[in-house]
CSV table of all heavy atoms in Angstrom, one decimal:
chain,number,residue,atom,x,y,z
A,1,MET,N,98.5,109.4,96.9
A,1,MET,CA,99.4,108.3,97.4
A,1,MET,C,100.3,107.8,96.3
A,1,MET,O,100.8,106.7,96.3
A,1,MET,CB,98.6,107.2,98.1
A,1,MET,CG,98.0,107.6,99.4
A,1,MET,SD,99.2,107.9,100.6
A,1,MET,CE,98.1,108.2,102.0
A,2,GLY,N,100.4,108.5,95.1
A,2,GLY,CA,101.1,107.9,94.0
A,2,GLY,C,100.1,107.4,93.0
A,2,GLY,O,98.9,107.5,93.1
A,3,THR,N,100.7,106.9,91.9
A,3,THR,CA,99.9,106.6,90.7
A,3,THR,C,99.8,105.1,90.4
A,3,THR,O,99.3,104.7,89.4
A,3,THR,CB,100.4,107.3,89.5
A,3,THR,OG1,101.8,106.9,89.3
A,3,THR,CG2,100.3,108.8,89.7
A,4,CYS,N,100.4,104.3,91.3
A,4,CYS,CA,100.5,102.8,91.1
A,4,CYS,C,99.1,102.3,91.2
A,4,CYS,O,98.3,102.7,92.1
A,4,CYS,CB,101.4,102.2,92.1
A,4,CYS,SG,101.5,100.4,91.9
A,5,THR,N,98.7,101.3,90.4
A,5,THR,CA,97.4,100.7,90.5
A,5,THR,C,97.5,99.2,90.6
A,5,THR,O,96.5,98.5,90.3
A,5,THR,CB,96.5,101.1,89.3
A,5,THR,OG1,97.2,100.7,88.1
A,5,THR,CG2,96.2,102.6,89.2
A,6,GLU,N,98.6,98.7,91.0
A,6,GLU,CA,98.8,97.3,91.2
A,6,GLU,C,97.9,96.8,92.4
A,6,GLU,O,97.6,97.6,93.3
A,6,GLU,CB,100.3,97.0,91.6
A,6,GLU,CG,101.2,97.2,90.4
A,6,GLU,CD,101.0,96.2,89.3
A,6,GLU,OE1,100.9,95.0,89.6
A,6,GLU,OE2,100.8,96.7,88.1
A,7,PRO,N,97.5,95.5,92.3
A,7,PRO,CA,96.8,95.0,93.5
A,7,PRO,C,97.6,95.1,94.8
A,7,PRO,O,98.8,94.9,94.7
A,7,PRO,CB,96.6,93.5,93.1
A,7,PRO,CG,96.7,93.5,91.6
A,7,PRO,CD,97.7,94.6,91.3
A,8,ALA,N,97.0,95.5,95.8
A,8,ALA,CA,97.7,95.6,97.1
A,8,ALA,C,98.1,94.2,97.6
A,8,ALA,O,97.4,93.3,97.5
A,8,ALA,CB,96.8,96.3,98.1
A,9,THR,N,99.3,94.2,98.2
A,9,THR,CA,99.7,93.0,98.9
A,9,THR,C,100.0,93.2,100.4
A,9,THR,O,100.2,92.2,101.1
A,9,THR,CB,101.0,92.5,98.2
A,9,THR,OG1,102.0,93.5,98.3
A,9,THR,CG2,100.7,92.1,96.8
A,10,VAL,N,100.1,94.4,100.8
A,10,VAL,CA,100.3,94.7,102.2
A,10,VAL,C,99.4,95.8,102.7
A,10,VAL,O,99.0,96.7,101.9
A,10,VAL,CB,101.8,95.1,102.5
A,10,VAL,CG1,102.8,94.0,102.2
A,10,VAL,CG2,102.2,96.3,101.7
A,11,LEU,N,99.1,95.8,104.0
A,11,LEU,CA,98.4,96.8,104.6
A,11,LEU,C,99.2,97.5,105.7
A,11,LEU,O,99.7,96.8,106.6
A,11,LEU,CB,97.1,96.3,105.2
A,11,LEU,CG,96.3,97.2,106.2
A,11,LEU,CD1,95.9,98.5,105.5
A,11,LEU,CD2,95.1,96.5,106.8
A,12,ILE,N,99.4,98.8,105.5
A,12,ILE,CA,100.2,99.5,106.5
A,12,ILE,C,99.1,100.3,107.4
A,12,ILE,O,98.3,101.1,106.8
A,12,ILE,CB,101.1,100.5,105.9
A,12,ILE,CG1,102.0,99.8,104.8
A,12,ILE,CG2,102.0,101.2,106.9
A,12,ILE,CD1,102.9,98.7,105.4
A,13,GLU,N,99.2,100.1,108.7
A,13,GLU,CA,98.3,100.8,109.6
A,13,GLU,C,99.1,102.0,110.2
A,13,GLU,O,100.2,101.9,110.7
A,13,GLU,CB,97.9,99.9,110.7
A,13,GLU,CG,97.0,98.8,110.3
A,13,GLU,CD,96.5,98.0,111.4
A,13,GLU,OE1,97.1,98.0,112.5
A,13,GLU,OE2,95.5,97.3,111.2
A,14,ALA,N,98.5,103.2,110.0
A,14,ALA,CA,99.1,104.4,110.6
A,14,ALA,C,98.5,104.7,111.9
A,14,ALA,O,97.3,104.9,112.0
A,14,ALA,CB,98.9,105.6,109.7
A,15,ARG,N,99.3,104.6,113.0
A,15,ARG,CA,98.8,104.8,114.3
A,15,ARG,C,99.4,106.0,115.0
A,15,ARG,O,100.6,106.3,114.7
A,15,ARG,CB,99.0,103.6,115.2
A,15,ARG,CG,98.3,102.3,114.7
A,15,ARG,CD,98.6,101.1,115.6
A,15,ARG,NE,97.8,100.0,115.2
A,15,ARG,CZ,96.5,99.7,115.7
A,15,ARG,NH1,96.0,100.5,116.6
A,15,ARG,NH2,95.9,98.7,115.2
A,16,SER,N,98.6,106.7,115.8
A,16,SER,CA,99.2,107.8,116.6
A,16,SER,C,100.0,107.2,117.7
A,16,SER,O,99.9,106.1,118.1
A,16,SER,CB,98.1,108.7,117.1
A,16,SER,OG,97.2,107.9,117.9
A,17,GLN,N,101.0,108.0,118.2
A,17,GLN,CA,101.9,107.5,119.3
A,17,GLN,C,101.3,107.8,120.7
A,17,GLN,O,100.6,108.8,120.9
A,17,GLN,CB,103.2,108.2,119.2
A,17,GLN,CG,104.0,107.8,117.9
A,17,GLN,CD,105.4,108.3,117.9
A,17,GLN,OE1,105.8,109.1,118.7
A,17,GLN,NE2,106.2,107.8,116.9
A,18,ILE,N,101.6,107.0,121.6
A,18,ILE,CA,101.3,107.2,123.0
A,18,ILE,C,102.6,107.0,123.8
A,18,ILE,O,103.4,106.1,123.6
A,18,ILE,CB,100.3,106.1,123.5
A,18,ILE,CG1,99.0,106.3,122.7
A,18,ILE,CG2,100.1,106.2,125.0
A,18,ILE,CD1,97.9,105.2,123.1
A,19,ASP,N,102.8,108.0,124.7
A,19,ASP,CA,104.0,107.9,125.6
A,19,ASP,C,105.3,107.7,124.8
A,19,ASP,O,106.0,106.8,125.1
A,19,ASP,CB,103.8,106.8,126.6
A,19,ASP,CG,102.6,107.0,127.5
A,19,ASP,OD1,102.2,108.2,127.7
A,19,ASP,OD2,102.1,106.1,128.1
A,20,GLY,N,105.5,108.5,123.9
A,20,GLY,CA,106.8,108.5,123.2
A,20,GLY,C,106.9,107.3,122.2
A,20,GLY,O,108.0,106.9,121.8
A,21,GLY,N,105.8,106.7,121.9
A,21,GLY,CA,105.9,105.6,120.9
A,21,GLY,C,106.1,104.3,121.4
A,21,GLY,O,106.4,103.3,120.6
A,22,LEU,N,106.0,104.1,122.7
A,22,LEU,CA,106.3,102.7,123.3
A,22,LEU,C,105.1,101.9,123.2
A,22,LEU,O,105.1,100.7,123.5
A,22,LEU,CB,106.8,102.9,124.7
A,22,LEU,CG,108.1,103.6,124.9
A,22,LEU,CD1,108.5,103.8,126.3
A,22,LEU,CD2,109.2,102.9,124.1
A,23,ALA,N,103.9,102.4,123.0
A,23,ALA,CA,102.7,101.6,122.9
A,23,ALA,C,101.9,101.9,121.6
A,23,ALA,O,102.2,102.9,121.0
A,23,ALA,CB,101.8,102.0,124.1
A,24,TYR,N,101.1,101.0,121.3
A,24,TYR,CA,100.3,101.2,120.1
A,24,TYR,C,99.2,102.3,120.4
A,24,TYR,O,98.6,102.3,121.4
A,24,TYR,CB,99.5,99.9,119.8
A,24,TYR,CG,100.3,98.9,119.1
A,24,TYR,CD1,101.2,98.1,119.9
A,24,TYR,CD2,100.2,98.6,117.8
A,24,TYR,CE1,101.9,97.1,119.3
A,24,TYR,CE2,100.9,97.6,117.2
A,24,TYR,CZ,101.8,96.9,117.9
A,24,TYR,OH,102.6,95.9,117.3
A,25,GLY,N,99.1,103.3,119.5
A,25,GLY,CA,98.1,104.3,119.6
A,25,GLY,C,96.9,103.9,118.8
A,25,GLY,O,96.8,102.8,118.3
A,26,ALA,N,96.0,104.9,118.7
A,26,ALA,CA,94.8,104.7,118.0
A,26,ALA,C,95.1,104.6,116.5
A,26,ALA,O,95.9,105.2,116.0
A,26,ALA,CB,93.8,105.9,118.2
A,27,LEU,N,94.3,103.7,115.9
A,27,LEU,CA,94.4,103.5,114.4
A,27,LEU,C,93.8,104.7,113.7
A,27,LEU,O,92.7,105.1,114.0
A,27,LEU,CB,93.7,102.2,114.0
A,27,LEU,CG,93.7,101.9,112.5
A,27,LEU,CD1,95.1,101.8,112.0
A,27,LEU,CD2,92.9,100.7,112.2
A,28,GLU,N,94.6,105.4,112.9
A,28,GLU,CA,94.2,106.6,112.2
A,28,GLU,C,93.8,106.3,110.8
A,28,GLU,O,92.8,106.8,110.3
A,28,GLU,CB,95.2,107.7,112.3
A,28,GLU,CG,95.7,108.1,113.7
A,28,GLU,CD,94.6,108.9,114.4
A,28,GLU,OE1,93.7,109.3,113.7
A,28,GLU,OE2,94.6,109.0,115.6
A,29,THR,N,94.7,105.6,110.1
A,29,THR,CA,94.5,105.4,108.6
A,29,THR,C,95.1,104.1,108.2
A,29,THR,O,96.1,103.6,108.8
A,29,THR,CB,95.2,106.5,107.8
A,29,THR,OG1,94.8,107.8,108.3
A,29,THR,CG2,94.9,106.4,106.3
A,30,ARG,N,94.4,103.4,107.3
A,30,ARG,CA,94.9,102.2,106.7
A,30,ARG,C,95.4,102.6,105.3
A,30,ARG,O,94.7,103.2,104.5
A,30,ARG,CB,93.9,101.1,106.6
A,30,ARG,CG,93.4,100.6,107.9
A,30,ARG,CD,92.4,99.5,107.7
A,30,ARG,NE,92.1,98.8,109.0
A,30,ARG,CZ,91.1,99.1,109.8
A,30,ARG,NH1,90.3,100.2,109.5
A,30,ARG,NH2,90.8,98.5,110.9
A,31,VAL,N,96.6,102.2,105.0
A,31,VAL,CA,97.2,102.5,103.7
A,31,VAL,C,97.6,101.1,103.0
A,31,VAL,O,98.3,100.3,103.6
A,31,VAL,CB,98.4,103.4,103.7
A,31,VAL,CG1,99.0,103.6,102.4
A,31,VAL,CG2,98.1,104.7,104.4
A,32,TYR,N,97.1,100.9,101.8
A,32,TYR,CA,97.4,99.7,101.1
A,32,TYR,C,98.5,99.9,100.1
A,32,TYR,O,98.6,101.0,99.5
A,32,TYR,CB,96.1,99.1,100.4
A,32,TYR,CG,95.0,98.8,101.3
A,32,TYR,CD1,94.1,99.7,101.8
A,32,TYR,CD2,94.9,97.5,101.8
A,32,TYR,CE1,93.1,99.4,102.7
A,32,TYR,CE2,93.9,97.1,102.7
A,32,TYR,CZ,93.0,98.1,103.2
A,32,TYR,OH,92.1,97.8,104.0
A,33,ALA,N,99.3,98.9,99.9
A,33,ALA,CA,100.5,99.0,98.9
A,33,ALA,C,100.8,97.7,98.3
A,33,ALA,O,100.5,96.6,98.9
A,33,ALA,CB,101.7,99.6,99.7
A,34,CYS,N,101.4,97.7,97.1
A,34,CYS,CA,101.9,96.5,96.5
A,34,CYS,C,103.3,96.3,97.1
A,34,CYS,O,103.9,97.1,97.9
A,34,CYS,CB,102.0,96.7,95.0
A,34,CYS,SG,103.2,97.9,94.4
A,35,ASP,N,103.9,95.1,96.7
A,35,ASP,CA,105.2,94.8,97.2
A,35,ASP,C,106.2,95.9,96.9
A,35,ASP,O,107.1,96.2,97.8
A,35,ASP,CB,105.7,93.5,96.5
A,35,ASP,CG,105.1,92.3,97.1
A,35,ASP,OD1,104.6,92.4,98.3
A,35,ASP,OD2,105.2,91.2,96.5
A,36,GLU,N,106.2,96.5,95.7
A,36,GLU,CA,107.1,97.5,95.3
A,36,GLU,C,107.0,98.7,96.1
A,36,GLU,O,108.0,99.4,96.4
A,36,GLU,CB,106.9,97.8,93.8
A,36,GLU,CG,107.9,98.7,93.3
A,36,GLU,CD,107.7,99.0,91.8
A,36,GLU,OE1,106.9,98.3,91.2
A,36,GLU,OE2,108.2,100.0,91.3
A,37,HIS,N,105.8,99.1,96.6
A,37,HIS,CA,105.7,100.3,97.3
A,37,HIS,C,105.4,100.1,98.8
A,37,HIS,O,105.1,101.1,99.5
A,37,HIS,CB,104.5,101.1,96.7
A,37,HIS,CG,104.8,101.6,95.3
A,37,HIS,ND1,104.2,101.0,94.2
A,37,HIS,CD2,105.6,102.5,94.9
A,37,HIS,CE1,104.7,101.7,93.1
A,37,HIS,NE2,105.5,102.6,93.5
A,38,ALA,N,105.6,98.9,99.3
A,38,ALA,CA,105.4,98.7,100.7
A,38,ALA,C,106.3,99.6,101.6
A,38,ALA,O,105.9,100.2,102.6
A,38,ALA,CB,105.6,97.2,101.1
A,39,ARG,N,107.6,99.7,101.1
A,39,ARG,CA,108.6,100.5,101.9
A,39,ARG,C,108.2,101.9,101.8
A,39,ARG,O,108.3,102.7,102.7
A,39,ARG,CB,110.0,100.2,101.4
A,39,ARG,CG,111.0,100.9,102.2
A,39,ARG,CD,112.4,100.4,101.8
A,39,ARG,NE,113.4,101.0,102.7
A,39,ARG,CZ,113.9,102.2,102.7
A,39,ARG,NH1,113.5,103.0,101.7
A,39,ARG,NH2,114.8,102.6,103.5
A,40,THR,N,107.8,102.4,100.6
A,40,THR,CA,107.4,103.8,100.4
A,40,THR,C,106.2,104.1,101.3
A,40,THR,O,106.2,105.2,101.8
A,40,THR,CB,107.1,104.0,98.9
A,40,THR,OG1,108.2,103.6,98.1
A,40,THR,CG2,106.7,105.5,98.7
A,41,ALA,N,105.3,103.2,101.4
A,41,ALA,CA,104.1,103.4,102.2
A,41,ALA,C,104.5,103.7,103.6
A,41,ALA,O,104.0,104.5,104.3
A,41,ALA,CB,103.2,102.2,102.1
A,42,ARG,N,105.5,102.8,104.1
A,42,ARG,CA,105.9,103.0,105.5
A,42,ARG,C,106.7,104.2,105.8
A,42,ARG,O,106.6,104.8,106.9
A,42,ARG,CB,106.7,101.7,106.0
A,42,ARG,CG,105.8,100.5,106.3
A,42,ARG,CD,106.6,99.4,106.9
A,42,ARG,NE,107.5,98.8,106.0
A,42,ARG,CZ,107.3,97.7,105.3
A,42,ARG,NH1,106.1,97.2,105.4
A,42,ARG,NH2,108.2,97.3,104.5
A,43,THR,N,107.5,104.6,104.8
A,43,THR,CA,108.5,105.7,105.1
A,43,THR,C,108.0,107.1,104.6
A,43,THR,O,108.4,108.1,105.0
A,43,THR,CB,109.8,105.4,104.4
A,43,THR,OG1,109.6,105.2,103.0
A,43,THR,CG2,110.4,104.2,105.0
A,44,GLU,N,107.1,107.1,103.6
A,44,GLU,CA,106.7,108.4,103.0
A,44,GLU,C,105.2,108.6,103.0
A,44,GLU,O,104.8,109.8,103.2
A,44,GLU,CB,107.1,108.4,101.5
A,44,GLU,CG,108.6,108.3,101.4
A,44,GLU,CD,109.1,108.5,99.9
A,44,GLU,OE1,108.3,109.0,99.1
A,44,GLU,OE2,110.2,108.1,99.6
A,45,TRP,N,104.4,107.6,102.9
A,45,TRP,CA,102.9,107.8,102.9
A,45,TRP,C,102.4,107.9,104.3
A,45,TRP,O,101.4,108.6,104.5
A,45,TRP,CB,102.2,106.7,102.2
A,45,TRP,CG,102.6,106.6,100.7
A,45,TRP,CD1,103.3,107.5,100.0
A,45,TRP,CD2,102.2,105.6,99.8
A,45,TRP,NE1,103.4,107.1,98.7
A,45,TRP,CE2,102.8,105.9,98.5
A,45,TRP,CE3,101.6,104.3,100.0
A,45,TRP,CZ2,102.6,105.1,97.4
A,45,TRP,CZ3,101.4,103.5,98.8
A,45,TRP,CH2,101.9,103.9,97.6
A,46,VAL,N,103.1,107.3,105.3
A,46,VAL,CA,102.7,107.5,106.7
A,46,VAL,C,103.7,108.5,107.3
A,46,VAL,O,104.9,108.2,107.4
A,46,VAL,CB,102.7,106.2,107.5
A,46,VAL,CG1,102.5,106.4,108.9
A,46,VAL,CG2,101.7,105.2,106.9
A,47,ARG,N,103.2,109.6,107.7
A,47,ARG,CA,104.1,110.7,108.1
A,47,ARG,C,104.0,110.9,109.6
A,47,ARG,O,103.0,110.7,110.2
A,47,ARG,CB,103.6,112.0,107.5
A,47,ARG,CG,103.8,112.1,106.0
A,47,ARG,CD,105.3,112.4,105.7
A,47,ARG,NE,105.5,112.6,104.2
A,47,ARG,CZ,106.7,112.8,103.7
A,47,ARG,NH1,107.7,112.9,104.5
A,47,ARG,NH2,106.8,113.0,102.4
A,48,PRO,N,105.1,111.3,110.3
A,48,PRO,CA,105.1,111.7,111.7
A,48,PRO,C,104.0,112.7,111.9
A,48,PRO,O,103.9,113.6,111.0
A,48,PRO,CB,106.5,112.2,112.0
A,48,PRO,CG,107.3,111.6,110.9
A,48,PRO,CD,106.5,111.4,109.7
A,49,PRO,N,103.3,112.8,113.0
A,49,PRO,CA,103.5,112.0,114.2
A,49,PRO,C,103.0,110.6,114.1
A,49,PRO,O,103.0,109.8,115.1
A,49,PRO,CB,102.8,112.8,115.3
A,49,PRO,CG,101.7,113.4,114.6
A,49,PRO,CD,102.2,113.7,113.2
A,50,LEU,N,102.4,110.2,113.0
A,50,LEU,CA,101.9,108.8,112.9
A,50,LEU,C,103.0,107.8,112.7
A,50,LEU,O,104.0,108.1,112.1
A,50,LEU,CB,100.9,108.7,111.8
A,50,LEU,CG,99.6,109.6,111.9
A,50,LEU,CD1,98.7,109.4,110.7
A,50,LEU,CD2,98.9,109.4,113.2
A,51,THR,N,102.8,106.6,113.2
A,51,THR,CA,103.8,105.5,113.1
A,51,THR,C,103.2,104.4,112.3
A,51,THR,O,102.0,104.0,112.5
A,51,THR,CB,104.1,105.0,114.5
A,51,THR,OG1,104.6,106.1,115.3
A,51,THR,CG2,105.2,103.9,114.5
A,52,PRO,N,104.0,103.9,111.3
A,52,PRO,CA,103.5,102.8,110.5
A,52,PRO,C,103.7,101.4,111.1
A,52,PRO,O,104.7,101.1,111.7
A,52,PRO,CB,104.3,102.9,109.2
A,52,PRO,CG,105.6,103.5,109.7
A,52,PRO,CD,105.3,104.4,110.9
A,53,PHE,N,102.6,100.6,111.1
A,53,PHE,CA,102.7,99.2,111.5
A,53,PHE,C,102.2,98.4,110.3
A,53,PHE,O,101.2,98.7,109.7
A,53,PHE,CB,101.9,99.0,112.7
A,53,PHE,CG,102.3,99.7,113.9
A,53,PHE,CD1,101.8,100.9,114.3
A,53,PHE,CD2,103.3,99.1,114.8
A,53,PHE,CE1,102.3,101.6,115.4
A,53,PHE,CE2,103.7,99.7,115.9
A,53,PHE,CZ,103.2,101.0,116.2
A,54,THR,N,102.9,97.3,110.0
A,54,THR,CA,102.5,96.4,109.0
A,54,THR,C,101.4,95.4,109.6
A,54,THR,O,101.7,94.7,110.5
A,54,THR,CB,103.6,95.6,108.4
A,54,THR,OG1,104.6,96.5,107.9
A,54,THR,CG2,103.2,94.7,107.3
A,55,ALA,N,100.2,95.4,109.0
A,55,ALA,CA,99.2,94.5,109.5
A,55,ALA,C,99.4,93.2,108.8
A,55,ALA,O,99.6,93.1,107.6
A,55,ALA,CB,97.8,95.1,109.2
A,56,ILE,N,99.3,92.1,109.6
A,56,ILE,CA,99.6,90.8,109.0
A,56,ILE,C,98.3,90.1,108.6
A,56,ILE,O,98.3,89.5,107.5
A,56,ILE,CB,100.3,89.9,110.1
A,56,ILE,CG1,101.6,90.7,110.6
A,56,ILE,CG2,100.7,88.6,109.5
A,56,ILE,CD1,102.6,90.9,109.5
A,57,ALA,N,97.3,90.2,109.3
A,57,ALA,CA,96.2,89.3,109.2
A,57,ALA,C,95.0,89.9,108.5
A,57,ALA,O,93.9,89.3,108.3
A,57,ALA,CB,95.7,88.7,110.5
A,58,GLU,N,95.1,91.2,108.0
A,58,GLU,CA,94.0,91.9,107.4
A,58,GLU,C,94.0,91.5,105.9
A,58,GLU,O,95.0,91.5,105.2
A,58,GLU,CB,94.1,93.4,107.6
A,58,GLU,CG,94.2,93.8,109.0
A,58,GLU,CD,92.8,93.6,109.7
A,58,GLU,OE1,91.8,93.7,109.0
A,58,GLU,OE2,92.8,93.4,110.9
A,59,PRO,N,92.8,91.3,105.4
A,59,PRO,CA,92.7,91.1,103.9
A,59,PRO,C,93.0,92.3,103.1
A,59,PRO,O,92.6,93.4,103.5
A,59,PRO,CB,91.2,90.6,103.8
A,59,PRO,CG,90.5,91.3,104.9
A,59,PRO,CD,91.5,91.3,106.0
A,60,VAL,N,93.7,92.2,102.0
A,60,VAL,CA,94.0,93.3,101.1
A,60,VAL,C,93.6,93.1,99.7
A,60,VAL,O,93.8,93.9,98.8
A,60,VAL,CB,95.5,93.6,101.1
A,60,VAL,CG1,96.0,93.9,102.5
A,60,VAL,CG2,96.3,92.4,100.6
A,61,ALA,N,92.9,92.0,99.4
A,61,ALA,CA,92.7,91.5,98.1
A,61,ALA,C,91.8,92.5,97.3
A,61,ALA,O,92.0,92.6,96.1
A,61,ALA,CB,92.0,90.2,98.1
A,62,SER,N,90.9,93.2,97.9
A,62,SER,CA,90.0,94.1,97.2
A,62,SER,C,90.5,95.5,97.0
A,62,SER,O,89.8,96.4,96.5
A,62,SER,CB,88.7,94.1,97.9
A,62,SER,OG,88.8,94.7,99.2
A,63,HIS,N,91.8,95.7,97.4
A,63,HIS,CA,92.3,97.1,97.3
A,63,HIS,C,93.5,97.2,96.3
A,63,HIS,O,94.1,96.2,96.0
A,63,HIS,CB,92.8,97.5,98.7
A,63,HIS,CG,91.7,97.7,99.7
A,63,HIS,ND1,91.1,98.9,99.9
A,63,HIS,CD2,91.2,96.8,100.6
A,63,HIS,CE1,90.1,98.7,100.8
A,63,HIS,NE2,90.2,97.5,101.2
A,64,GLN,N,93.7,98.4,95.9
A,64,GLN,CA,94.8,98.7,95.0
A,64,GLN,C,95.9,99.5,95.8
A,64,GLN,O,95.6,100.1,96.9
A,64,GLN,CB,94.4,99.7,93.9
A,64,GLN,CG,93.5,99.0,92.8
A,64,GLN,CD,93.2,99.9,91.7
A,64,GLN,OE1,93.3,101.2,91.8
A,64,GLN,NE2,92.8,99.4,90.6
A,65,CYS,N,97.1,99.4,95.3
A,65,CYS,CA,98.2,100.1,95.9
A,65,CYS,C,97.8,101.6,95.9
A,65,CYS,O,97.4,102.2,94.9
A,65,CYS,CB,99.5,99.9,95.0
A,65,CYS,SG,100.9,100.8,95.6
A,66,GLY,N,98.1,102.3,97.0
A,66,GLY,CA,97.8,103.7,97.2
A,66,GLY,C,96.5,104.0,97.8
A,66,GLY,O,96.2,105.1,98.2
A,67,ASP,N,95.6,102.9,98.0
A,67,ASP,CA,94.3,103.2,98.7
A,67,ASP,C,94.6,103.6,100.1
A,67,ASP,O,95.4,103.0,100.8
A,67,ASP,CB,93.5,101.9,98.7
A,67,ASP,CG,92.8,101.7,97.4
A,67,ASP,OD1,92.9,102.5,96.5
A,67,ASP,OD2,92.1,100.6,97.3
A,68,ALA,N,94.0,104.6,100.6
A,68,ALA,CA,94.1,105.0,102.0
A,68,ALA,C,92.6,105.1,102.5
A,68,ALA,O,91.8,105.8,101.9
A,68,ALA,CB,94.8,106.4,102.1
A,69,VAL,N,92.4,104.5,103.7
A,69,VAL,CA,91.1,104.5,104.3
A,69,VAL,C,91.2,105.1,105.7
A,69,VAL,O,91.9,104.6,106.5
A,69,VAL,CB,90.6,103.0,104.4
A,69,VAL,CG1,89.2,103.0,105.0
A,69,VAL,CG2,90.6,102.4,103.0
A,70,ASP,N,90.5,106.1,105.9
A,70,ASP,CA,90.4,106.7,107.2
A,70,ASP,C,89.7,105.8,108.2
A,70,ASP,O,88.6,105.3,107.9
A,70,ASP,CB,89.6,108.1,107.1
A,70,ASP,CG,89.8,108.9,108.3
A,70,ASP,OD1,90.0,108.4,109.4
A,70,ASP,OD2,89.7,110.2,108.2
A,71,ALA,N,90.3,105.6,109.3
A,71,ALA,CA,89.8,104.6,110.2
A,71,ALA,C,88.7,105.2,111.1
A,71,ALA,O,88.1,104.5,111.9
A,71,ALA,CB,90.9,104.1,111.1
A,72,HIS,N,88.5,106.5,111.0
A,72,HIS,CA,87.4,107.1,111.9
A,72,HIS,C,86.1,107.0,111.3
A,72,HIS,O,85.9,107.0,110.1
A,72,HIS,CB,87.8,108.5,112.2
A,72,HIS,CG,89.1,108.7,113.0
A,72,HIS,ND1,89.2,108.2,114.2
A,72,HIS,CD2,90.3,109.2,112.6
A,72,HIS,CE1,90.5,108.5,114.6
A,72,HIS,NE2,91.1,109.0,113.7
B,101,ZN,ZN1,102.5,100.0,94.1
């Protein structure tokens, strides 16, 4: 996911699509990123057919930028 080791500030959830992407699908992967790489995480680290969603309320303090956690 890159070589950045900054503390994570955002959590991007990669979800599969349902019915053409109009509904939230199953959570597949959580990807953590710093401010600088938040956009990269959404546009490059989460690849189609998965859709990136920014998680608002999840804690990120114990993670580094680039951490990816399989949700299964
Ligand atoms: Zn970063």
Side-chain angles (χ1 to χ4, degrees):
M1 289 295 182
T3 58
C4 179
T5 56
E6 291 294 310
T9 57
V10 296
L11 167 59
I12 309 300
E13 293 182 339
R15 293 179 177 272
S16 55
Q17 294 187 350
I18 296 177
D19 297 337
L22 297 177
Y24 285 76
L27 178 60
E28 300 289 344
T29 306
R30 293 181 172 91
V31 180
Y32 296 86
C34 68
D35 282 343
E36 185 180 346
H37 292 108
R39 186 172 187 280
T40 303
R42 282 190 290 267
T43 59
E44 297 183 19
W45 296 349
V46 176
R47 294 280 187 182
L50 299 181
T51 302
F53 294 92
T54 302
I56 305 297
E58 299 290 332
V60 299
S62 62
H63 291 273
Q64 288 185 342
C65 180
D67 280 357
V69 180
D70 195 330
H72 296 294

